C-alpha cells in the first residue's frame, strides 16, 4: 500500500469529524449507496493490515463526509475495533517513502472518528491513549506539513471529546494533558488556540486538580497571558479580561503577573468604554480583589487613584442597576462590583498602611453610602419567592460588610429593612445546606467558576453578625431585633455553631470564620445582658445558652490558641449568672461549679511576677499566653472580674469554692511579691473588688487572707475597703 493510499484512508477520520449526528439513518444512507455495506463487510473480514488499509480506502470512496451519521460511524468502529488504531499509534516503521508520522496520523484520525460517539469517547481504549495523544501536541516537525497539521487537529478533536464526558477531565489531567496543552500554547505552534480553549474548559471543570498536577506550566501560561494583556492595544485585551480569571492560581499570584494585570486594567478602566468592554474588566478586578485583597494594587499616588477609580466605577454600576425598578440587572457584573465595594470598605477603615488618603476615604464613603442605599432599595423589593436566589445573598453580603463598619448613616433605611433581614437569615439558617450552596453560587456568579481566596461564608446570619453587634447597642434597632425574634435565632445559631467546636469534631479543619462568628455572637449577647436584662431573665433560650456555656468552658480554657473565645464565653457566662442567679442550674450543681472553676482559672492566670535586671523586686507582667491577645482581651478580663465580683453575694457556695481553688491566697501572694508601682490602678481596683466580696461573703476567706498577710498587702496597695474588711471579726 502506498503512502498516498494511507493518506486517502485517513480521510475517513475527517469524514467522522465533520459529520453530524443529525444525518439520515443508516438504512437511508445505504439506499443511496448500496456498496457501503459490502465494503464494511470487507473491512470486518480483513485478515491483515494491508487488507484493512484497502477496505478503509474503499469505505472512504463509498461515502461522503456528509453521509456519515452516528450509526454509520459505529458500524465502522465495530468493523475496525481498537486493535488496528492502537498499532498505528505505536508503530515506528512507516512504509517506504512515507514520513514517520503518517501511520500515527491515520491512527489519530480513526480515533477522532470514533470519539464523535460520546460512548466511545469514554471507552478505556480511548482513555489509555491520552498520554500518547498528549505527546503529539508538543512533537517537533515541519509546521507547514499538512499531514502533521491534520494529526494535530485530530488530536485536539479526541481530547476535546474526552473532556466532554463526565469523568473525562479527571482522566486528561492524570494523563499529563494539562502540561502538554500549556507547552503547546506557549510554543505558539499550529493549533495553539485550540490548546488554550481546551485549557479553559479543564480549569473550569477541575481547577484544583489542574493546579495540583501542572502548577509550574499553568503559571507560565498566566505569565504569558498577563504580559499579552499588559501590552495589548486592540480588542484582544477585552477577550483576555474574560480568560484571565480562570488562570489565577488558588495560591499566590506571581508579583510580575499582578503588575501586568493592574497596569492593563488601569489603561482599560481609565478610558471611555461601552458596557461590554468595561464589564469584563470589572469582573477581572473583582477576582483579583477576592484572591489578593489590595496587595495587587501598587502603593503611592497611582495606586490610590486606581483604587478610587475602581470603587467609584463599581458604585456607579450598582446604582444604575438597582435604583431603577424593573430594569434587568446584570447580576454577575453587579456582584463583581460588590466585591470591589468590599475592597473599598476595607481600605477606608484601615488605619495603617492604607492605600487611600483621608480626603479619598471621605469621598469614597459618601459614594459607597449612595450605592448601599441602592442595595437597601433593591432588598426592600425582594419577595419570598426570590429569597433563595444567589444575587439576593450577594446583596445581603455587601450590606453586612457595610453595617460591620458603619451603622450611623442610612439608619432609618436600615431599621426599615431589619425585619426582612431577620426573616431572611432565619430562612437560610433553617435550610443550612441550601444556604451553603447559595454561597458557592454567589462565588460563581460574582467572579468565575472557581473561588480562590477567602471562602464566602455559608450562611446569611454570619454576614450580619458584626452589624447586629453594633445595632444592639442602639435602642431603636435593638427593639426591632428583639421584636422580630433575633435573640432566639442567635441563641439557636450559637448552639449549632458551638457543636462544630465540641469534642468529636476536628477543630483544626474549621474555618476561622466559625470561631469569629461565635465571638461576635458573644458580643451581641453581652450587649443584650447590659441593655436588656429583662429579656435574659424571661426568654428560655438564654437558659439553654447558659447551660451550654457552663458545660463548655472547663474544656475550652485548656485548649491552646483559643484564649480569646474562652474569654468571651467566661465573661458572658459570668454576666448572665448574675441575672439568672436564682436558676436551679446555678445552685452549686456540678456544671455550675465546673464553670466557675474554669472562670477563676481564666481570670487568675492573666498575670505573673517577672524578675527584672537591676532590681531585687519583681514586677507584675502579663503571662506569656495572654501577651499576644491582651489588646483584644483586656476589656473582657476587666468585665469578667467585675461580673465575678457581682456573683459572689448572689451565690453563697461561690466564696468557699473560690477559697478551695486558692485563688484569693495566690492573688495576695502575687501582689506581695511584686513592686506596687508595677501594678496599674485599674488592676488594683479589679483585684480589690474580688477580694473584698470574697472576704465579706465568708469568714474562712477572711481568715485565709489574714494568714496570707492580706492586711499588710492591702495597706501597701492602698486598698482601703479590703483593709477595713479584714480588720473586722
Amino acid at each position: 500500500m502506498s503512502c498516498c493510499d494511507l493518506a486517502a484512508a485517513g480521510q475517513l477520520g475527517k469524514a467522522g469529524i465533520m459529520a453530524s449526528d443529525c444525518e439520515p439513518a443508516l438504512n437511508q444512507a445505504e439506499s443511496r449507496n448500496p456498496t457501503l455495506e459490502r465494503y464494511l463487510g470487507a473491512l470486518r473480514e480483513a485478515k491483515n493490515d494491508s487488507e484493512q488499509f484497502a477496505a478503509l480506502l474503499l469505505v472512504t470512496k463509498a461515502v461522503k463526509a456528509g453521509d456519515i451519521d452516528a450509526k454509520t460511524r459505529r458500524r465502522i468502529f465495530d468493523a475496525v475495533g481498537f486493535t488496528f488504531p492502537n498499532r498505528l499509534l505505536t508503530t515506528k516503521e512507516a512504509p517506504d517513502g512515507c514520513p514517520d508520522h503518517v501511520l500515527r496520523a491515520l491512527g489519530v484520525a480513526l480515533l477522532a472518528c470514533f470519539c464523535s460517539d460520546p460512548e466511545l469517547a469514554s471507552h478505556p481504549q480511548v482513555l489509555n491513549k491520552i498520554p500518547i495523544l498528549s505527546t503529539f501536541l508538543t512533537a517537533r516537525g515541519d509546521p507547514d506539513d499538512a499531514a502533521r497539521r491534520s494529526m494535530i487537529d485530530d488530536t485536539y478533536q479526541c481530547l476535546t471529546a474526552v473532556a466532554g464526558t463526565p469523568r473525562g477531565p479527571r482522566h486528561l489531567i492524570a494523563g499529563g494533558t494539562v502540561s502538554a496543552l500549556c507547552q503547546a500554547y506557549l510554543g505558539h505552534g499550529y493549533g495553539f488556540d485550540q490548546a488554550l480553549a481546551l485549557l479553559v474548559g479543564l480549569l473550569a471543570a477541575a481547577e484544583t486538580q489542574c493546579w495540583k498536577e501542572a502548577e509550574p506550566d499553568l503559571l507560565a501560561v498566566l505569565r504569558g497571558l498577563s504580559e499579552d494583556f499588559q501590552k495589548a492595544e486592540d480588542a484582544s485585551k477585552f477577550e483576555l479580561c474574560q480568560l484571565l480569571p480562570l488562570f489565577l492560581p488558588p495560591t499566590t499570584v506571581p508579583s510580575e503577573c499582578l503588575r501586568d494585570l493592574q497596569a492593563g486594567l488601569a489603561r482599560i478602566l481609565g478610558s471611555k468604554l461601552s458596557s461590554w468592554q468595561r464589564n469584563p474588566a470589572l469582573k477581572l478586578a473583582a477576582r483579583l480583589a477576592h484572591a489578593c485583597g489590595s496587595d495587587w494594587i501598587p502603593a503611592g499616588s497611582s495606586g490610590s487613584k486606581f483604587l478610587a477609580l475602581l470603587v467609584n466605577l463599581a458604585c456607579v454600576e450598582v446604582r444604575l442597576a438597582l435604583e431603577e425598578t424593573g430594569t434587568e440587572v446584570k447580576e454577575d457584573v453587579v456582584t463583581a462590583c460588590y466585591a470591589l465595594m468590599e475592597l473599598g470598605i476595607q481600605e477606608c477603615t484601615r488605619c495603617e498602611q492604607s492605600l487611600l488618603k483621608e480626603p479619598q476615604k471621605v469621598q469614597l464613603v459618601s459614594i459607597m453610602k449612595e450605592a448601599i442605599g441602592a442595595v437597601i432599595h433593591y432588598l426592600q423589593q425582594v419577595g419570598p419567592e426570590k429569597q433563595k436566589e444567589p444575587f439576593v445573598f450577594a446583596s445581603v453580603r455587601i450590606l453586612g460588610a457595610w453595617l460591620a463598619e458603619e451603622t450611623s448613616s442610612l439608619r432609618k433605611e436600615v431599621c426599615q429593612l431589619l425585619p426582612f433581614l431577620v426573616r431572611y437569615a432565619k430562612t437560610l439558617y433553617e435550610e443550612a445546606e441550601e444556604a451553603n450552596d447559595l454561597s458557592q453560587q454567589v462565588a460563581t456568579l460574582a467572579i468565575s467558576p472557581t473561588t480562590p481566596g477567602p471562602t464566602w461564608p455559608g450562611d446569611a446570619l454570619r454576614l450580619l453578625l458584626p452589624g447586629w453587634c453594633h445595632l444592639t447597642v442602639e435602642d431603636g434597632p435593638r427593639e426591632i431585633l428583639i421584636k422580630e425574634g433575633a435573640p432566639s435565632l442567635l441563641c439557636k445559631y450559637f448552639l449549632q455553631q458551638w457543636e462544630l467546636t465540641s469534642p468529636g469534631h476536628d477543630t483544626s479543619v474549621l474555618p476561622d470564620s466559625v470561631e469569629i462568628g461565635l465571638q461576635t455572637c458573644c458580643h451581641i449577647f453581652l450587649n443584650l445582658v447590659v441593655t436588656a436584662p429583662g429579656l435574659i431573665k424571661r426568654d428560655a433560650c438564654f437558659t439553654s445558652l447558659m447551660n451550654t456555656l457552663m458545660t463548655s468552658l472547663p474544656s475550652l480554657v485548656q485548649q491552646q490558641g483559643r484564649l480569646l473565645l474562652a474569654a468571651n464565653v467566661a465573661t458572658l457566662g459570668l454576666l448572665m449568672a448574675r441575672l439568672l442567679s436564682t436558676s436551679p442550674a446555678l445552685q452549686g450543681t456540678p456544671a455550675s461549679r465546673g464553670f466557675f472553676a474554669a472562670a477563676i482559672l481564666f481570670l487568675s492566670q492573666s498575670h505573673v511576677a517577672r524578675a527584672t535586671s537591676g532590681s531585687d523586686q519583681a514586677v507584675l507582667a502579663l503571662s506569656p499566653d495572654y501577651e499576644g491577645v491582651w489588646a483584644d482581651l483586656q476589656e473582657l478580663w476587666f468585665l469578667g472580674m467585675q461580673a465575678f465580683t457581682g456573683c459572689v453575694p448572689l451565690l453563697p457556695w461561690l466564696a468557699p469554692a473560690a477559697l478551695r481553688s486558692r485563688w484569693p491566697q495566690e492573688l495576695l501572694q502575687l501582689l506581695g511579691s511584686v513592686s506596687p508601682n508595677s501594678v496599674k490602678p485599674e488592676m488594683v481596683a479589679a483585684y480589690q473588688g474580688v477580694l473584698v466580696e470574697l472576704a465579706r461573703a465568708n469568714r474562712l476567706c477572711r481568715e485565709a487572707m489574714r494568714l496570707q498577710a492580706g492586711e499588710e498587702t492591702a495597706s501597701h496597695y492602698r486598698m482601703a475597703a479590703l483593709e477595713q474588711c479584714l480588720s473586722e471579726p
Side-chain angles (χ1 to χ4, degrees):
M1 175 122 339
S2 70
C3 185
C4 293
D5 289 335
L6 293 177
Q11 295 307 307
L12 183 62
K14 302 302 171 292
I17 294 167
M18 296 164 57
S20 167
D21 288 349
C22 298
E23 294 296 332
L26 179 59
N27 58 350
Q28 294 174 325
E30 290 175 6
S31 66
R32 294 194 306 271
N33 194 343
T35 61
L36 176 59
E37 187 67 18
R38 187 168 70 253
Y39 291 160
L40 287 173
L43 189 57
R44 285 192 298 270
E45 296 171 3
K47 295 182 177 59
N48 52 49
D49 289 350
S50 295
E51 291 182 5
Q52 284 189 312
F53 280 135
L56 278 172
L57 183 58
L58 292 172
V59 171
T60 303
K61 292 178 179 179
V63 295
K64 297 179 180 178
D67 291 331
I68 294 187
D69 60 6
K71 291 184 178 180
T72 305
R73 283 196 300 273
R74 190 60 187 235
R75 297 292 295 277
I76 296 172
F77 167 73
D78 291 340
V80 177
F82 281 114
T83 303
F84 184 49
N86 289 350
R87 290 206 303 273
L88 292 173
L89 289 172
T90 57
T91 186
K92 297 181 179 179
E93 296 181 2
D96 293 340
C98 286
D100 59 4
H101 63 269
V102 168
L103 292 178
R104 293 194 296 273
L106 178 56
V108 177
L110 287 170
L111 281 184
C113 175
F114 299 157
C115 285
S116 300
D117 183 337
E119 184 178 344
L120 293 179
S122 59
H123 193 285
Q125 287 286 349
V126 172
L127 299 179
N128 65 23
K129 302 299 181 300
I130 290 173
I132 297 175
L133 293 172
S134 298
T135 63
F136 294 164
L137 300 179
T138 55
R140 296 183 178 181
D142 183 356
D144 297 322
D145 187 323
R148 186 175 294 278
R149 289 190 171 203
S150 178
M151 183 175 72
I152 292 174
D153 286 335
D154 288 338
T155 300
Y156 282 117
Q157 183 72 20
C158 292
L159 297 175
T160 302
V162 172
T165 63
R167 297 186 178 182
R170 184 183 67 179
H171 290 293
L172 291 174
I173 294 167
T177 302
V178 176
S179 291
L181 290 170
C182 292
Q183 294 166 25
Y185 173 75
L186 293 170
H188 275 64
Y190 179 77
F192 78 98
D193 52 337
Q194 297 181 71
L196 185 62
L198 188 49
L199 266 178
V200 167
L202 290 177
L203 284 167
E207 180 206 35
T208 302
Q209 293 88 338
C210 286
W211 281 99
K212 183 178 180 180
E213 291 293 329
E215 180 173 349
D217 295 304
L218 285 169
L219 286 176
V221 173
L222 174 61
R223 290 186 181 94
L225 292 173
S226 301
E227 187 176 349
D228 292 343
F229 179 64
Q230 193 271 336
K231 295 178 179 178
E233 299 289 347
D234 55 13
S236 65
K237 60 187 176 184
F238 304 115
E239 297 173 2
L240 286 168
C241 275
Q242 298 178 8
L243 285 178
L244 279 163
L246 286 162
F247 286 89
L248 295 179
T251 53
T252 305
V253 182
S255 57
E256 65 270 25
C257 297
L258 293 178
R259 284 195 301 270
D260 287 340
L261 294 173
Q262 189 275 330
L265 283 171
R267 271 209 316 276
I268 291 177
L269 294 174
S271 307
K272 291 185 177 180
L273 302 170
S274 61
S275 60
W276 73 266
Q277 295 170 321
R278 181 177 59 253
N279 291 347
L282 289 174
K283 291 171 73 174
L284 174 58
R287 176 64 186 275
L288 288 167
H290 187 51
C292 309
S294 60
D295 292 345
W296 61 287
I297 300 175
S301 176
S302 63
S304 64
K305 289 179 180 178
F306 174 71
L307 176 58
L309 174 65
L310 269 184
V311 178
N312 206 329
L313 288 173
C315 291
V316 170
E317 192 70 34
V318 168
R319 292 188 62 189
L320 288 174
L322 301 183
E323 286 183 344
E324 295 295 330
T325 304
T327 303
E328 183 180 356
V329 177
K330 294 179 179 177
E331 296 180 350
D332 57 337
V333 177
V334 176
T335 310
C337 291
Y338 287 165
L340 296 175
M341 287 175 61
E342 273 199 65
L343 179 63
I345 292 170
Q346 292 167 7
E347 285 300 315
C348 285
T349 55
R350 180 179 292 182
C351 297
E352 297 180 0
Q353 296 182 331
S354 174
L355 292 171
L356 299 170
K357 298 178 180 178
E358 282 304 313
Q360 290 174 312
K361 290 182 179 181
V362 172
Q363 184 181 20
L364 284 183
V365 167
S366 176
I367 293 170
M368 287 190 289
K369 174 183 173 181
E370 295 175 346
I372 292 297
V375 174
I376 293 175
H377 171 75
Y378 164 76
L379 290 174
Q380 287 171 336
Q381 319 302 318
V382 173
E385 73 282 355
K386 287 190 174 182
Q387 286 194 11
K388 295 181 182 178
E389 293 184 2
F391 184 65
V392 176
F393 188 91
S395 301
V396 170
R397 175 188 170 91
I398 186 59
L399 178 60
W402 172 264
L403 292 177
E405 305 295 344
E406 173 58 61
T407 56
S408 59
S409 61
L410 299 170
R411 182 175 301 178
K412 179 181 177 181
E413 292 84 351
V414 169
C415 286
Q416 290 174 344
L417 191 64
L418 278 178
F420 164 80
L421 293 176
V422 175
R423 291 194 301 271
Y424 180 77
K426 183 177 180 181
T427 298
L428 265 63
Y429 167 72
E430 291 175 348
E431 302 177 22
E433 290 186 1
E434 290 191 32
N436 186 61
D437 182 59
L438 269 180
S439 71
Q440 297 302 316
Q441 292 182 53
V442 168
T444 301
L445 180 69
I447 303 163
S448 78
T450 53
T451 56
T455 305
W456 295 74
D459 58 82
L461 193 51
R462 194 179 302 164
L463 307 176
L464 297 168
L465 289 177
W468 287 7
C469 187
H470 298 314
L471 292 170
T472 48
V473 177
E474 305 175 25
D475 292 340
R478 182 176 63 252
E479 290 175 5
I480 296 173
L481 289 169
I482 292 173
K483 180 182 177 181
E484 295 297 329
S488 176
L489 174 61
L490 287 168
C491 283
K492 293 177 183 177
Y493 177 78
F494 181 89
L495 296 176
Q496 183 259 344
Q497 292 290 294
W498 190 263
E499 282 297 313
L500 299 177
T501 69
S502 62
H505 291 80
D506 185 1
T507 57
S508 65
V509 300
L510 285 178
D512 293 340
S513 55
V514 172
E515 189 151 317
I516 293 172
L518 289 170
Q519 293 176 24
T520 310
C521 281
C522 287
H523 296 166
I524 295 174
F525 295 141
L526 286 170
N527 290 340
L528 294 175
V529 167
V530 174
T531 60
L535 174 69
I536 308 300
K537 294 178 180 179
R538 68 174 181 266
D539 198 322
C541 71
F542 287 101
T543 301
S544 299
L545 176 62
M546 186 69 213
N547 290 335
T548 298
L549 298 179
M550 288 196 299
T551 57
S552 302
L553 185 62
S555 63
L556 184 61
V557 294
Q558 304 291 341
Q559 298 176 26
Q560 291 291 327
R562 308 192 74 190
L563 184 56
L564 193 54
L565 180 59
N568 278 276
V569 170
T571 304
L572 175 61
L574 290 169
L575 285 168
M576 289 180 64
R578 286 197 312 182
L579 299 177
L580 301 174
S581 60
T582 59
S583 168
L586 285 164
Q587 306 311 311
T589 62
S592 62
R593 290 180 181 274
F595 169 78
F596 276 94
I600 289 173
L601 192 64
F602 159 67
L603 295 171
S604 65
Q605 291 187 338
S606 61
H607 291 77
V608 294
R610 182 174 297 167
T612 57
S613 58
S615 175
D616 295 335
Q617 203 167 15
V619 297
L620 188 71
L622 286 168
S623 61
D625 289 342
Y626 285 67
E627 279 183 319
V629 292
W630 185 248
D632 298 318
L633 192 69
Q634 59 177 334
E635 186 176 350
L636 289 168
W637 187 87
F638 282 108
L639 193 56
M641 291 287 285
Q642 181 183 350
F644 185 92
T645 301
C647 287
V648 173
L650 298 174
L651 301 172
W653 61 268
L654 184 53
L659 182 61
R660 285 193 295 273
S661 75
R662 295 193 53 79
W663 185 26
Q665 301 96 309
E666 290 174 357
L667 180 51
L668 287 169
Q669 183 181 6
L670 174 65
L671 291 173
S673 65
V674 301
S675 168
N677 292 332
S678 69
V679 186
K680 295 179 179 179
E682 60 268 26
M683 294 293 299
V684 173
Y687 286 147
Q688 178 176 225
V690 169
L691 292 170
V692 166
E693 287 300 331
L694 289 173
R696 286 174 179 171
N698 187 270
R699 177 181 58 83
L700 295 177
C701 281
R702 290 195 296 274
E703 293 177 359
M705 291 183 195
R706 292 189 191 109
L707 292 174
Q708 196 62 50
E711 291 177 275
E712 182 181 350
T713 301
S715 175
H716 286 162
Y717 284 89
R718 298 180 181 179
M719 296 180 177
L722 178 60
E723 191 173 6
Q724 180 181 352
C725 184
L726 293 180
S727 66
E728 298 172 355

